[in-house]
Amino acid sequence: MRARLSPGLLVGSGLVLMLLLVLPTLALLLRSARPALGSALLDPTVTAALRLSLTTTAVSLLATVVFGTPVAYLLARYAFRGKVVLEALLDLPLVLPPVVAGLALLLLVGRRGLLGAPLAAIGVHVAFTSTAVVLAQLFVASPLYIRSMKAAFRSTPRSLEAAAITLHATRLRAFRRVTLPLTLPAFVEGCVLTWTRALGEFGATIVVAGSLAGRTQTMPLAIYAELERNLDAALAMGAILTLAAFGLLLLFRRLTRSA
Amino acid sequence: MTRFLRWALATLLAAALTAAAAQTVTVFAASSLTDAFTALAHSFEAANPSVHVVLDFAASSTLATQILQGAPADVFASANEVQMQRVTEAGLQTGPPTPFAGNRLVVLVPAGSGLRAFRDLARPGLLLVLAAQQVPAGRYADLMFDAAARAYGADFVQKVRSNIVSREPNVRQTAAKVALGAADAAIVYATDADGLSGVRSIGVPASLQPTILYPLVTLKGAAAPAAVRAFRDFVLSPAGRTALAGFGFTAPP
């Protein structure tokens, strides 16, 4: 009896799925590798979408880290009534179809929405603005960060923090100097996953923020619109997103391996 | 195991036979035709029990792109000639496109809206939604604004355009934004207002109306060409015209 299956069998049976996972990306990159696509990148629609995607995802990532870290810590370290329900609710956006997320957000912040109506009364409009783009990204992507950090906080022994405190470190200092460095790989993972998910956000965004070049038309929305107008621009943007995502995943592998 | 295999084979064979008996006509139609073509397909199927009509609705620009990329459509009903031309220039048709319906633009607003006339679209802070530029409804809206610029001045149109908050992927999505109460106004077809509740439409002056024409074409590679021709003839027949008129479409010139 052999302890392991032969690599040949594994490769053979896995090949079908592996090809399916790799070939589409390859087809996109092959089709995109043309000099004409360089000039497509200078199209004002493309540059506007690129700028908007970078700024909105930067804001949503920052907000995720600032507001998500305490949530993850709370869920990892404290027990309270209804925690199971709360955790399920916070994971819900991950399994919800994005278009449903967009509809839910629109019914919240839209002109006649739950919060949108009172906000409109004081002259604040959220739907169809860049703020709505950020909200959509936060809604669908931040749970990924919370999950990563929650697991990391849980696996960091409390005794290490306690030891630091007995050595006259303040609680905050113990958290900063002991807990945070130990959770660094999870932090990087959470950030990469959240950022790439936000960058790719389409369904929720198009419903709650609409699609207007320069204001709410992020890269995925621009790709969808340009498919029917300027295929080169769509291909160029598709290639950029693919390469950026792949680069980040590679970087993440390296970082976690060295950590 | 053998019993299961025999059962599976019999089922497959039965399925294959049924599929061969039932002829399928795949129709790609503009979003604005959603209600009308659904009804037309039902009437057609009732009259031709051996034919099954498969409907796919999206922006004509989306459908044209899909057809150019090899989507298995037998009939293409477009909301304008530009998107039809993309398909015919590729030589995918079996005959010349035939105009089968017309339409007109309206301003769709929530039922309780304070907007009364077309010129109210220039009110500052109004949330106005249009279909995307490449989508026929969006293109017609742009043509209408060009006419409005000549009639009321570029300044008026500048104000209206600055109210645009989104250009949606198809005309039904555009109308939905008003129906959901998320937008204050949308430029859509008169026929889109009919099926929606909680909305009303404001007329667009006749002098600003672009000529809206829906052409229909049959495409190459159909598995059941006779059934495809029959469906086309049905849409163009007096019965088809009456059904379309019932949904608010005008007769082609």
Side-chain angles (χ1 to χ4, degrees):
Chain A
M1 201 177 82
R2 281 183 296 177
R4 284 209 273 176
L5 288 169
S6 85
L9 186 69
L10 283 176
V11 170
S13 57
L15 199 61
V16 180
L17 188 59
M18 280 198 280
L19 285 179
L20 182 72
L21 293 178
V22 172
L23 283 182
T25 321
L26 195 68
L28 175 73
L29 293 179
L30 282 177
R31 182 76 196 268
S32 310
R34 285 184 290 125
L37 290 203
S39 56
L41 288 180
L42 299 174
D43 188 289
T45 314
V46 176
T47 50
L50 190 61
R51 198 176 314 121
L52 185 71
S53 271
L54 288 177
T55 49
T56 52
T57 52
V59 173
S60 66
L61 183 59
L62 189 70
T64 299
V65 172
V66 170
F67 300 113
T69 312
V71 174
Y73 193 77
L74 189 80
L75 291 172
R77 290 294 168 85
Y78 296 90
F80 50 89
R81 263 179 80 118
K83 185 175 159 184
V84 181
V85 178
L86 181 66
E87 281 186 302
L89 279 175
L90 293 180
D91 275 347
L92 193 59
L94 293 177
V95 291
L96 215 57
V99 61
V100 176
L103 189 59
L105 283 168
L106 190 63
L107 292 174
L108 181 72
V109 300
R111 196 152 254 207
R112 280 191 274 166
L114 212 56
L115 283 180
L119 281 176
I122 55 166
V124 178
H125 302 292
V126 178
F128 304 116
T129 62
S130 308
T131 312
V133 175
V134 172
L135 277 185
Q137 290 169 353
L138 269 176
F139 189 82
V140 301
S142 64
L144 290 167
Y145 176 84
I146 295 176
R147 277 182 76 96
S148 286
M149 289 306 279
K150 200 166 66 180
F153 284 137
R154 243 176 222 152
S155 61
T156 310
R158 239 181 246 236
S159 53
L160 287 179
E161 274 173 52
I165 290 164
T166 55
L167 295 171
H168 303 293
T170 60
R171 264 173 179 280
L172 190 65
R173 192 175 155 82
F175 178 77
R176 223 177 56 219
R177 300 297 295 271
V178 177
T179 317
L180 274 191
L182 285 171
T183 55
L184 191 64
F187 175 77
V188 176
E189 182 194 27
C191 285
V192 168
L193 290 175
T194 302
W195 192 66
T196 45
R197 176 66 187 88
L199 199 60
E201 211 323 287
F202 176 85
T205 310
I206 202 160
V207 175
V208 71
S211 178
L212 193 67
R215 183 140 40 136
T216 59
Q217 194 177 69
T218 56
M219 296 248 294
L221 272 63
I223 291 173
Y224 185 68
E226 293 300 302
L227 260 182
E228 295 162 16
R229 209 173 63 98
N230 180 356
L231 191 59
D232 277 353
L235 283 170
M237 285 187 280
I240 293 183
L241 278 187
T242 308
L243 291 176
F246 187 57
L248 268 172
L249 287 176
L250 275 186
L251 185 76
F252 168 61
R253 291 283 130 122
R254 286 209 93 121
L255 283 175
T256 45
R257 193 168 292 172
S258 59
Chain B
M1 191 63 192
T2 44
R3 247 174 69 185
F4 171 76
L5 269 179
R6 212 176 296 161
W7 172 82
L9 272 177
T11 318
L12 271 177
L13 193 66
L17 283 174
T18 334
Q23 297 179 310
T24 302
V25 177
T26 306
V27 179
F28 277 23
S31 290
S32 47
L33 295 167
T34 305
D35 304 322
F37 265 47
T38 305
L40 276 175
H42 278 161
S43 321
F44 180 77
E45 282 176 339
N48 303 273
S50 65
V51 182
H52 177 52
V53 180
V54 176
L55 296 164
D56 188 3
F57 299 106
S60 304
S61 44
T62 306
L63 297 173
T65 303
Q66 288 172 346
I67 292 169
L68 291 175
Q69 293 296 323
D74 301 324
V75 176
F76 176 39
S78 169
N80 74 5
E81 284 174 346
V82 176
Q83 297 306 328
M84 181 54 79
Q85 267 168 23
R86 290 176 64 203
V87 171
T88 52
E89 272 165 15
L92 300 175
Q93 72 280 24
T94 57
T98 316
F100 67 95
N103 214 335
R104 63 202 162 78
L105 293 179
V106 295
V107 179
L108 192 73
V109 297
S113 169
L115 301 177
R116 293 277 164 254
F118 177 74
R119 301 203 62 161
D120 292 343
L121 286 181
R123 283 191 194 172
L126 185 98
L127 301 182
L128 176 63
V129 180
L130 264 61
Q133 285 159 303
Q134 71 277 10
V135 174
R139 199 183 153 83
Y140 287 131
D142 285 329
L143 290 173
M144 182 191 70
F145 284 146
D146 291 346
R150 290 190 292 272
Y152 306 137
D155 184 48
F156 166 76
V157 171
Q158 186 56 44
K159 281 184 195 156
V160 176
R161 282 200 178 274
S162 68
N163 284 339
I164 300 174
V165 291
S166 179
R167 302 211 60 156
E168 299 285 317
N170 65 55
V171 70
R172 287 296 163 119
Q173 296 267 1
T174 313
K177 285 278 154 62
V178 169
L180 280 168
D184 299 323
I187 310 289
V188 298
Y189 301 115
T191 50
D192 295 313
D194 284 351
L196 293 171
S197 56
V199 297
R200 66 183 169 84
S201 41
I202 297 172
V204 170
S207 58
L208 305 183
Q209 287 283 356
T211 308
I212 299 175
L213 214 55
Y214 288 71
L216 176 122
V217 79
T218 50
L219 301 167
K220 287 178 182 165
V228 170
R229 274 196 304 276
F231 181 80
R232 171 187 177 275
D233 293 343
F234 178 70
V235 174
L236 299 172
S237 72
R241 293 267 159 94
T242 311
L244 284 162
F247 284 94
F249 289 91
T250 55

